[in-house]
Amino acid sequence: MSEIVNNEIHSASPRCDDWLVSIMSPERKEPKISTIPRVPSMFRKIQSNKDCYDPSVVSIGPYHHGEEKLMEMEKLKDTYARQFAEDTKIPIQEIYNAVEAVAKNVKDCYIEDSTKNLDNQQFARMMFLDGCFVVQFLFCLYQQPENLEMSRHDAALVTKDLFLLENQLPFEVLTKLMSFRKLDRKANWMKILTDFCDQVRASPAGTELKEKITKIFRGLQKSLTIRNPQGIAARDRPADAAHLLELLHKQFCSGTIVSENAEKSSCKNNSQMNWYRYYPAEELRNIGIHFKPSKTDLFTDVQFKRRWLITRSLYIPPLRIDSSTKSLLLNLVAYEACHNKSRVTSYVCFMDSLIDTPRDVQVLRSKGILLNTLGSDEQAAELFNQIASHLIPDPYAYIQVKSSIEKEHRKVIRKWIAMWLRVYFNSPWTFIAFVAATFTIILTAIQTYIALFPLKDR
């Protein structure tokens, strides 16, 4: 078949001959998808978000290597590498040789243009220093905070930088270095990594007790699915993640009760898309829908539940909003855009649909779904509006939830009942006043009836 096509092409115009042949050639190389890509240019063009993709204090990997504003932390990398070698009591040359052997295999994880100016030795040295920095930082953060050698403010900025898409290090490098560092019996590297992700994806206060059992089972599931490469125990191996940001994504975007395939199959007619309107949180509250925090902190754990005759509840995973939230969500969204995923993207768009004004933030905050440490409710509302700008969610995401909300919104009688309950049963005092008024009306009606139709003596 290919010969016939090539013969037809050769009979065409000679100017286009070689070009068309190259298109149809089976040897034509497809563009390589990097494990650690750059942020898509369309995201960087959004002015309000452009600063969320660049590191503030430390560069990891080649994309921001050598930038002048990050040179101060380069000095600490040497210190951390020396501390790491001294703590392990292993010659630093032996550690470097191990990393150098791994570095040869991970250079292709990055876009080629970013490493073309680095020879193999320069790249290996960068992997060694950056890897020692990350491993030593995590070790000091959770095991020896007195040796962190940086302020709490700088530690927070480093933490934010370690979850940027363009600031990632292949886990092959980290796991090789982790194999040299022996931890206490109660600690292991997998626990440190998951605790680090938990710290970044912190939930509002009051949700910890609900998540303890969930985290136990989630940790058990991970321990059963972790592979066991050479040089590091299975319990210390990151769960099939390519880098730290991907580990965070796997940790909080998996294990949902209803999978994406199940959501798609629930659509009665897949050939015809069902579209649903979005309603802000305050409007949903006014029609009687109650907001409650989900029992897990998975970004995808959004559920709509009906209880009794009139109770309708929308469960949403709790989220703490601080100075790093915008950067974290945007880099997760950028990661998904590069890997054909949409879980966090759909979550961000769903939250944006609920938040139009500061009053919507107040509704969610009062129910423990949002903990706003950023500032005013207006700032929190603006944050979600900026993050969701130009994003397109998976139309099948939360399709059952959207369908249930749409059905509830169409019920006019329920709107009246919900408004009546909200007005007269909002507090004990309004309830008491309502009962007293009702009782007074009943007594007045009885008194009027007796006056108009007096009882006759038998």
Side-chain angles (χ1 to χ4, degrees), residues 279-289 291 314 354 405 409:
Y279 304 99
E282 187 179 32
E283 185 175 346
L284 295 182
R285 184 196 62 179
N286 291 341
I287 65 171
I289 294 179
F291 290 92
L314 179 58
L354 296 176
I405 292 175
H409 199 272

Side-chain angles (χ1 to χ4, degrees), residues 104-151:
K104 297 177 182 178
N105 303 323
V106 301
K107 197 171 185 178
D108 290 339
C109 292
Y110 300 97
I111 295 177
E112 186 176 355
D113 290 345
S114 66
T115 59
K116 65 180 181 179
N117 294 327
L118 298 172
D119 58 30
N120 291 336
Q121 185 183 60
Q122 291 173 323
F123 183 79
R125 289 179 176 179
M126 180 181 65
M127 290 290 102
F128 174 74
L129 288 176
D130 291 353
C132 287
F133 178 86
V134 174
V135 173
Q136 189 68 12
F137 174 79
L138 291 175
F139 177 80
C140 292
L141 193 65
Y142 290 98
Q143 299 288 313
Q144 297 178 358
E146 66 276 5
N147 294 330
L148 202 54
E149 296 196 14
M150 66 177 70
S151 66

Side-chain angles (χ1 to χ4, degrees), residues 169-184:
L169 207 65
F171 263 140
E172 287 89 340
V173 176
L174 294 181
T175 51
K176 177 57 66 175
L177 289 168
M178 290 174 185
S179 65
F180 291 105
R181 166 74 77 175
K182 305 302 179 183
L183 301 177
D184 299 334

Side-chain angles (χ1 to χ4, degrees), residues 4 34 45 87 90 142 147 151 202 243 271-272 280 289 306 332 369 414 438 441:
I4 296 175
S34 302
K45 290 179 181 178
D87 292 346
I90 297 175
Y142 290 98
N147 294 330
S151 66
H243 47 76
S271 63
Q272 182 178 3
I289 294 179
R306 294 177 174 86
L332 285 169
I369 294 173
R414 276 192 48 81
T438 304
I441 292 173

